[in-house]
Amino acid sequence: MIGVHPAWLPASAFRSVGSRRVRVIGDGPVVATVRGEVDTAVAEHGGALVDDGPADLELVCGPDGGETDPEAFVVGRAGSTTVVRAIDGVGLLYGFHHVVRQGEAAFTGEARARRHAPRQPVRMLDHWDNIDANPVMGQVERGYAGGSIFYADGAVRADLSRARAYARLLGSIGVNRVGLNNVNVHRTEARLLTDLLPDVVRLAEVFRPHGIRVHLSVSFAAPMTLGGLPTADPLDPAVAEWWARTTAEVYAAIPDFGGYVVKADSEGQPGPFAYGRDHADGANVLARALAPFGGTVFWRAFVYNHRQDWRDRSTDRARAAHDHFAPLDGSFDPNVVLQVKAGPMDFQVREPLSPVIAAMPRTRLAVELQVTQEYTGQQKHVCYLNPMWREMLAFRPWGEGEPAVADIAGGRGAAPAGGVVAVSNVGDDPFWTGHPLAQANLFGFGRLAWDDRLTPEAVLDEWIGLTFPGSAVREALHEVMDGSWSTYERYTAPLGVGFMVNPGNHYGPSVDGYEYSPWGTYHFADRDGVGVDRTRATGTGFTGQFPAPWRDVYESVETCPDELLLFFHHVPYGHVLHSGKTVIQHIYDTHFAGCEEVSRMAGTWARLKDDVPVEVFERVTALLEEQLRCAIEWRDQVNTYFWRKSGVPDAHGRRIY
Ligand code: GCU
């Protein structure tokens, strides 16, 4: 392969637009991006960018009646001309890519004008990129696609062409904010806020033409480590003054700077607890520095005791975010967004929704997802995540007829919008994401953040259509990818119990890997049963953090959904699931089935040899081999572990070691 894979924007994706007469009306940097796209497309496909005379496609940026959302656009047809209108360049860019995705249908389909607007005003990707490579974590924390596309040799890269191509990809799917550095802020990266700021200016210039604002992750201790103050106490006037002055300097350099991302009092990062202050005190001092400039602080709720004693059965990591933050509802400034991991633990393949999301009606909340596949196969395994994300965004904490998580994040609940944030999965790998099929997760995140009602199959279909022109691979790729999240779940930790991964790198099985660790991630398997009792009646009381009806649904083994049973309950191996199987037989069956499914995926993929580029074919083929090896390892370790613990044989007499 020469150079970098075009992902979902190969030249062929622009054929329908590029073979037509196109007019672009409007000014500004993002309109210039649209004009540039059209220019390239018509040059490639024989159309023309026209100023006057008849046009097949008109892209118009300008005032439009009552429209107020700069990100919205209207598409319709006037005679034989398809017209896209927006009041801002960014809306026009989104409208342009809508037409690109539609292909010929944009010129032949329904003529009635339709308005499109994002369901989430904030659609953000956080990059856990470090400037300096860490000997253990590498350069990108939990990155599985090589080094950073932003940083090299101790600074922002001299050549930002890769970052530019990335910004273009993100703009095409509607991502509108990026966090530029790891939430664990190390020494060099902290300086992006001060002496390395000119470098951040360069990155902001890369993202601006695509309608994307940049954020920095900052260290709560920065007033001390960068400012030389004796304290970082958020209530100390000198500290507030330092943040205000430093922030003003950032805005002088980057007027459209988005704001900060903060991981405080979490896994060793500094925070307000050191001064006896709470997280509202901590977040608000930053919010007040950002407010005069329209900036936002994304304050993470991932706060828990990572030095827990495994013998202590009363401490429950799942409770921690709610315990810390729910009492603070109403005390955050309006430009604070509390960024809550979607699940209460940590991006496992199956978790309930974090109860924090329903507990803070007077706080702007963002839901945080993980596109990088830390716990879902590390971009060695095919695991298409939109089905999981959609389920989470569609979850209704107060039951049917009440707002969904997507409504709360999108500002249709009680508080204004916070948005949807995810940890990116890209690196300097030629395929961007290591596994070529993991590009679908990045694409899928953007599309779902734009409209959470899109089905995972429809989103995947768009991605396939753009990435693999021609329809030869469509059906096979659906076969490989549609159910891949469920497949991954089947061969890994069962019934919502989570973890069972190798400590540290989190790849591959180690059933007891975290069982006697300080991290709060236990499964409590013994000879009689498995699972975590999080009930109010006899357990940690976590179920009580949910509103009705879920507090009761989860409380009872009778009503708790099978897939979350071991998240909420410790049950005997003979407990019968709603599926009619015992827990132990479910474990055996799903682990055998998961491996068979991976074999089938590999077989289906093998049929595509002549239908996809050879580099893609070879990379995916090799990774499927690794996925199968790893799935078999999971199957055999998990099945063997539970057979030895329980002494219950497999009803089908299959080989367990
Ligand atoms: C996980 C991950 C860490 C990361 C943390 C976070 O625990 O393993 O690498 O720093 O999440 O979200 O802050």
Side-chain angles (χ1 to χ4, degrees):
M1 184 164 74
I2 304 156
V4 173
H5 190 260
W8 53 87
L9 296 181
S12 57
F14 297 85
R15 182 166 297 128
S16 300
V17 169
S19 56
R20 289 184 155 83
R21 296 169 61 83
V22 186
R23 183 162 27 244
V24 182
I25 300 170
D27 299 302
V30 188
V31 175
T33 302
V34 175
R35 197 171 277 120
E37 291 286 359
V38 172
D39 220 6
T40 311
V42 296
E44 173 81 22
H45 296 291
L49 182 55
V50 297
D51 284 330
D52 37 41
D56 308 300
L57 174 62
E58 238 177 46
L59 300 157
V60 187
C61 177
D64 188 7
E67 183 60 67
T68 54
D69 183 349
E71 297 192 317
F73 60 90
V74 174
V75 194
R77 297 238 306 284
S80 60
T81 307
T82 297
V83 183
V84 179
R85 287 182 178 282
I87 61 166
D88 192 282
V90 76
L92 198 70
L93 179 69
Y94 299 155
F96 168 74
H97 282 287
H98 172 87
V99 168
V100 170
R101 280 192 296 273
Q102 290 213 308
E104 282 306 303
F107 302 95
T108 56
E110 190 199 340
R112 199 167 49 91
R114 235 191 101 191
R115 177 178 181 270
H116 300 256
R119 298 253 298 164
Q120 303 292 335
V122 172
R123 305 172 300 281
M124 177 159 171
L125 280 168
D126 281 353
H127 297 81
W128 288 356
D129 292 28
N130 299 312
I131 296 178
D132 298 328
N134 174 293
V136 182
M137 290 282 182
Q139 193 181 15
V140 180
E141 182 156 334
R142 310 304 178 186
Y144 309 105
S148 170
I149 59 172
F150 302 149
Y151 312 107
D153 307 320
V156 168
R157 285 173 182 269
D159 175 4
L160 286 175
S161 51
R162 196 66 198 270
R164 231 167 262 125
Y166 179 58
R168 174 174 178 250
L169 287 170
L170 296 193
S172 78
I173 52 171
V175 169
N176 63 4
R177 289 173 190 251
V178 295
L180 293 174
N181 62 305
N182 190 2
V183 289
N184 296 313
V185 184
H186 306 296
R187 192 190 298 266
T188 307
E189 295 75 13
R191 291 166 39 213
L192 289 167
L193 190 58
T194 51
D195 60 306
L196 295 180
L197 188 61
D199 274 5
V200 183
V201 172
R202 291 179 52 230
L203 284 172
E205 281 162 3
V206 164
F207 284 101
R208 188 172 296 122
H210 303 276
I212 300 167
R213 297 171 76 177
V214 301
H215 286 247
L216 286 178
S217 291
V218 296
S219 164
F220 196 76
M224 300 164 76
T225 54
L226 299 173
L229 297 183
T231 177
D233 182 349
L235 299 192
D236 186 307
V239 169
E241 202 272 325
W242 186 86
W243 280 114
R245 183 160 33 84
T246 305
T247 305
E249 279 161 24
V250 174
Y251 277 91
I254 309 170
D256 59 352
F257 182 69
Y260 299 136
V261 178
V262 188
K263 173 175 178 177
D265 290 317
S266 168
E267 299 183 332
Q269 292 297 303
F273 286 163
Y275 310 98
R277 312 301 183 195
D278 65 31
H279 277 237
D281 297 328
N284 290 344
V285 70
L286 297 178
R288 283 164 203 168
L290 290 161
F293 310 100
T296 308
V297 56
F298 288 78
W299 188 269
R300 298 179 82 229
F302 186 56
V303 178
Y304 71 100
N305 177 7
H306 68 291
R307 297 206 182 93
Q308 185 180 331
D309 184 341
W310 60 268
R311 298 165 192 84
D312 165 18
R313 293 290 287 261
S314 66
T315 302
D316 179 4
R317 172 166 162 182
R319 292 188 54 119
H322 187 284
D323 284 344
H324 285 300
F325 286 95
L328 299 178
D329 187 31
S331 36
F332 291 98
D333 278 15
N335 60 329
V336 176
V337 170
L338 190 65
Q339 184 169 319
V340 186
K341 284 193 187 189
M345 294 296 285
D346 200 356
F347 300 134
Q348 298 304 291
V349 67
R350 177 75 69 172
E351 290 187 45
L353 213 95
S354 168
V356 174
I357 293 164
M360 302 187 66
R362 291 177 295 162
T363 305
R364 293 173 63 190
L365 294 172
V367 179
E368 185 181 306
L369 307 168
Q370 201 182 38
V371 183
T372 194
Q373 290 171 243
E374 177 176 2
Y375 292 101
T376 51
Q378 303 203 346
Q379 280 136 257
K380 292 187 171 76
H381 299 213
V382 181
C383 187
Y384 175 53
L385 292 166
N386 269 50
M388 169 166 77
W389 299 333
R390 185 167 194 261
E391 216 173 280
M392 293 185 123
L393 292 175
F395 181 79
R396 296 181 188 276
W398 299 277
E400 278 315 305
E402 300 294 330
V405 168
D407 297 321
I408 300 165
R412 294 178 296 279
V420 182
V421 183
V423 187
S424 177
N425 64 349
V426 303
D428 65 3
D429 170 79
F431 289 104
W432 296 99
T433 52
H435 202 307
L437 304 185
Q439 290 175 5
N441 286 331
L442 187 62
F443 178 88
F445 166 74
R447 297 293 292 131
L448 196 68
W450 177 275
D451 186 352
D452 51 273
R453 297 164 302 191
L454 294 171
T455 67
E457 294 75 21
V459 171
L460 189 62
D461 212 57
E462 287 182 350
W463 177 77
I464 296 170
L466 293 166
T467 309
F468 300 97
S471 61
V473 300
R474 196 178 289 270
E475 210 177 306
L477 278 178
H478 276 290
E479 247 174 79
V480 170
M481 296 175 75
D482 279 343
S484 53
W485 168 53
S486 299
T487 295
Y488 186 85
E489 180 177 25
R490 284 188 191 104
Y491 62 76
T492 58
L495 297 165
V497 80
F499 291 87
M500 300 192 167
V501 290
N502 280 299
N505 74 0
H506 297 169
Y507 185 72
S510 175
V511 179
D512 279 341
Y514 276 108
E515 202 56 18
Y516 308 102
S517 83
W519 294 92
T521 52
Y522 316 117
H523 55 68
F524 301 119
D526 58 23
R527 66 178 186 175
D528 299 318
V530 57
V532 190
D533 184 353
R534 295 192 159 107
T535 63
R536 307 192 281 292
T538 52
T540 68
F542 172 69
T543 58
Q545 293 185 340
F546 289 88
W550 292 103
R551 52 189 288 119
D552 303 316
V553 172
Y554 292 144
E555 175 75 7
S556 155
V557 283
E558 300 304 321
T559 49
C560 183
D562 283 352
E563 67 273 12
L564 287 169
L565 184 69
L566 302 184
F567 192 97
F568 286 105
H569 297 276
H570 186 90
V571 297
Y573 293 115
H575 174 86
V576 179
L577 298 166
H578 298 117
S579 70
K581 285 184 187 177
T582 60
V583 165
I584 189 75
Q585 195 57 41
H586 172 95
I587 292 174
Y588 297 149
D589 287 354
T590 48
H591 284 78
F592 283 111
C595 285
E596 282 159 23
E597 286 162 23
V598 177
S599 285
R600 273 203 297 280
M601 282 157 73
T604 306
W605 176 260
R607 299 203 314 261
L608 300 182
K609 190 167 190 335
D610 300 322
D611 300 320
V612 296
V614 60
E615 312 81 25
V616 176
F617 183 77
E618 283 172 1
R619 175 77 74 101
V620 174
T621 303
L623 288 169
L624 277 163
E625 249 172 64
E626 164 56 17
Q627 181 170 3
L628 184 59
R629 183 207 63 78
C630 190
I632 290 171
E633 198 58 30
W634 269 100
R635 177 194 70 193
D636 291 341
Q637 286 201 26
V638 171
N639 283 350
T640 300
Y641 179 95
F642 283 105
W643 181 57
R644 289 181 187 174
K645 280 267 173 195
S646 70
V648 180
D650 171 33
H652 306 295
R654 288 163 293 193
R655 177 128 200 226
I656 295 176
Y657 295 84

